[in-house]
Amino acid sequence: MGFKEHKILLVEDVLSMSMLFTKHLEAAGINAHAVEDLKSARAAQAGEEFDLLLLDLNLPDGDGLAYLEELRGTPMETPAIVITADASLNNAVRAMKLGALDYLVKPFSESRLVTTVNNTLERVQLRQQVEVLRHETQDGAFYDFIGSSVAMQKVYRTIENVAPSKATVFITGASGTGKELCAEAIHKAGPRASKPFVPLNCAAIPQDLLESELFGHLKGSFTGAISDRLGAAREAEGGTLFLDEMCELDLGLQKKLLRFLQTSTVQPVGSAKPHKVDVRVICATNRDPLEEVRAGRFREDLYFRLNVVPIALPALNERGRDIIDIARSFLGQFANEEGKALGDFSPEAQALMMAHNWPGNVRELQNTIRNIAVLQDGDVVTPDMFPALEGQTEILVAQHQSPSSASNGEAPVAAPSSSPGDLMGTLAEIERKAIEDRIAIFDGSIPKAAQSLDVSPSTIYRKKESWA
């Protein structure tokens, strides 16, 4: 993906490296303007606006970190990637605290340079788009969603694009990620917002009653049918029908649903007369629908009919600082309901939440905060107020395990020995040291460090973002 319309400022004092970086970037369609020192960088930024700053930290007339700090809060402040030769990444971490979006550790490959620049430009572009959406909402929320992580910005953008159409949307994501919220957002953002939004959870209704719940029935059509029933499809007339947990439908009902989607007609149980309906259909599942197709449990033709616009919702542990924003929203709501004074989370409590994997996603976070609001008192939530969180010390445990062999076949590297004094500090501080030590062992390679700690690379990236 090239960004020819973007322009970046490269600040690198070694002429050969500057020329090489510029050559690689321009070959990828990225316009780069190179300077060799901070004086030239200031002059360039005073006369022209750049989309991205690619900044070496060791420059002949000053420190790149000091320059980042100098730019903060000024009209010349620019999204930045820092270049460092410090394999321990100490400077990179400090730079990210000053607002840098990413870092490159010398030496790095052409592909690493281009990929990092492209990804960062995309992040900047997505952040700009979500800022536009924020003007239409309050506190950075998007309809009933909370959070502005890059992962969610992509979801918001898809919702905005698909809302005006009648196209069928297929939402996927683990339980608790907000699939119904996503469907409601599509409904509210589109022209059908004033009409009904009718949700139907296919997993919560016995299979022998699902057809009646979906398409309706006539009185006396089966035992227990004591009156006529419209069914969810006709109740949603003019609006949106949301079918949650679609993969729970049996194959017979899947065939009838496919016919409904193709003809926009429903035939109630016990009736010989079909009824025309005007509804927009949104479906969701917490399973992998393609795997269900391969296993023969889900019709392939129905899958392709539903999967016109797919939306994959990220897990909570992929949403970075959104975790804190969502927790604060829940805390305000539940503390008010319970008449409690709890107003915010201590830094240690925030670190604990960022460290937890949240297998139950937003629903687990919601229940956790409700538990705190009901059982605890005080002004600030501290770590000791949390109920037990499964796996919350996963990295601490892994720190004392031998690193596994790297994927390239290198021999395992022993973890640095720890004295009792090294393990003093808060849970968050000990965990951070464990991660940083392991990254240093693998010469700055986060994927290798993550493998040795038995966690995903995204977990480490998320934690590093929380330290910034």
Side-chain angles (χ1 to χ4, degrees):
M1 180 179 182
F3 285 82
K4 295 183 179 180
E5 72 275 18
H6 290 295
K7 189 168 187 178
I8 72 171
L9 176 63
L10 168 64
V11 188
E12 168 61 66
D13 62 315
V14 180
L15 181 59
S16 59
M17 299 188 75
S18 178
M19 293 175 65
L20 183 64
F21 297 161
T22 301
K23 177 183 176 182
H24 291 334
L25 292 169
E26 291 185 346
I30 303 168
N31 187 5
H33 176 71
V35 297
E36 62 183 13
D37 52 33
L38 293 179
K39 179 181 178 181
S40 302
R42 291 186 184 94
Q45 290 196 272
E48 189 172 355
E49 185 175 342
F50 293 90
D51 299 292
L52 186 64
L53 177 64
L54 189 56
L55 177 68
D56 189 31
L57 296 185
N58 297 312
L59 296 163
D61 59 345
D63 178 14
L65 289 176
Y67 186 56
L68 279 180
E69 192 165 12
E70 174 187 323
L71 293 178
R72 291 194 79 177
T74 71
M76 291 196 304
E77 183 175 10
T78 305
I81 298 172
V82 299
I83 301 173
T84 178
D86 181 2
S88 71
L89 301 184
N90 289 333
N91 282 341
V93 172
R94 288 173 58 202
M96 296 184 79
K97 288 183 177 180
L98 291 172
L101 297 180
D102 212 330
Y103 56 86
L104 291 164
V105 180
K106 293 180 180 178
F108 47 82
S109 65
E110 174 184 353
S111 61
R112 172 67 172 160
L113 170 67
V114 172
T115 299
T116 301
V117 169
N118 271 337
N119 288 345
T120 306
L121 285 170
E122 184 177 10
R123 286 178 65 189
V124 171
Q125 196 170 43
L126 287 170
R127 285 185 176 185
Q128 291 170 345
Q129 290 172 346
V130 89
E131 285 299 321
V132 175
L133 298 178
R134 283 177 175 175
H135 289 301
E136 302 173 3
T137 58
Q138 295 180 349
D139 302 325
F142 180 80
Y143 293 94
D144 291 326
F145 280 113
I146 295 172
S148 56
S149 62
V150 172
M152 289 307 297
Q153 289 174 34
K154 292 180 179 179
V155 172
Y156 300 159
R157 184 173 60 177
T158 303
I159 290 172
E160 286 283 297
N161 289 337
V162 76
S165 78
K166 193 181 176 180
T168 304
V169 179
F170 206 160
I171 305 168
T172 56
S175 294
T177 50
K179 296 187 288 295
E180 186 166 343
L181 283 184
C182 183
E184 285 190 88
I186 295 169
H187 174 73
K188 292 175 181 177
R192 297 172 178 264
S194 62
K195 299 297 184 178
F197 174 82
V198 180
L200 185 67
N201 188 328
C202 301
I205 301 170
Q207 287 292 320
D208 55 352
L209 295 180
L210 257 176
E211 182 178 359
S212 168
E213 291 292 324
L214 181 56
F215 300 131
H217 63 251
L218 297 184
K219 178 181 179 180
S221 57
F222 57 87
T223 302
I226 59 176
S227 62
D228 290 351
R229 181 177 181 83
L230 281 180
R234 293 174 68 188
E235 289 172 356
E237 177 66 33
T240 301
L241 174 63
F242 173 54
L243 300 177
D244 198 5
E245 305 305 349
M246 267 294 301
C247 290
E248 301 299 328
L249 293 177
D250 64 33
L251 291 173
L253 193 50
Q254 289 178 30
K255 182 177 180 180
K256 294 180 180 180
L257 178 61
L258 178 62
R259 177 172 175 78
F260 160 59
L261 294 170
Q262 292 172 335
T263 65
S264 296
T265 61
V266 299
Q267 188 165 334
V269 177
S271 173
K273 179 183 178 182
H275 297 269
K276 195 79 172 176
V277 292
D278 173 26
V279 297
R280 195 224 184 118
V281 176
I282 300 176
C283 298
T285 181
N286 61 4
R287 300 187 188 181
D288 179 348
L290 276 177
E291 181 59 35
E292 295 299 299
V293 170
R294 285 191 286 266
R297 293 186 293 266
F298 200 79
R299 292 177 62 103
E300 185 177 36
D301 50 2
L302 178 59
Y303 168 74
F304 287 115
R305 180 62 180 79
L306 292 173
N307 199 46
V308 178
V309 180
I311 297 180
L313 292 182
L316 183 58
N317 61 22
E318 298 171 356
R319 295 178 56 180
R321 296 287 299 181
D322 285 359
I323 294 171
I324 307 302
D325 294 337
I326 296 169
R328 282 180 171 141
S329 176
F330 285 144
L331 183 64
Q333 175 189 342
F334 299 146
N336 182 63
E337 290 176 3
E338 300 296 331
K340 299 294 182 68
L342 294 165
D344 203 354
F345 299 89
S346 71
E348 294 79 12
Q350 293 182 41
L352 175 61
M353 289 189 290
M354 293 295 292
H356 184 48
N357 197 44
W358 300 109
N361 294 292
V362 177
R363 188 173 295 120
E364 180 188 358
L365 177 60
Q366 180 183 31
N367 291 339
T368 299
I369 305 307
R370 184 184 289 277
N371 176 285
I372 292 170
V374 170
L375 299 179
Q376 306 295 335
D377 290 299
D379 298 324
V380 176
V381 177
T382 54
D384 58 290
M385 295 182 180
F386 280 76
L389 296 177
E390 182 180 355
Q392 67 190 37
T393 57
E394 57 182 357
I395 290 185
L396 292 180
V397 173
Q399 168 66 8
H400 299 286
Q401 298 173 347
S402 297
S404 58
S405 299
S407 58
N408 61 5
E410 295 175 352
V413 181
S417 61
S418 299
S419 67
D422 293 333
L423 296 178
M424 294 298 290
T426 66
L427 172 65
E429 290 168 345
I430 297 170
E431 180 181 76
R432 177 170 178 172
K433 185 179 187 306
I435 294 173
E436 289 179 337
D437 286 348
R438 195 58 60 88
I439 291 173
I441 288 172
F442 287 99
D443 296 324
S445 172
I446 287 180
K448 290 181 181 178
Q451 182 184 26
S452 76
L453 291 169
D454 196 26
V455 297
S456 69
S458 64
T459 297
I460 295 182
Y461 283 118
R462 173 168 51 82
K463 292 180 187 300
K464 286 173 64 65
E465 183 179 346
S466 74
W467 301 336

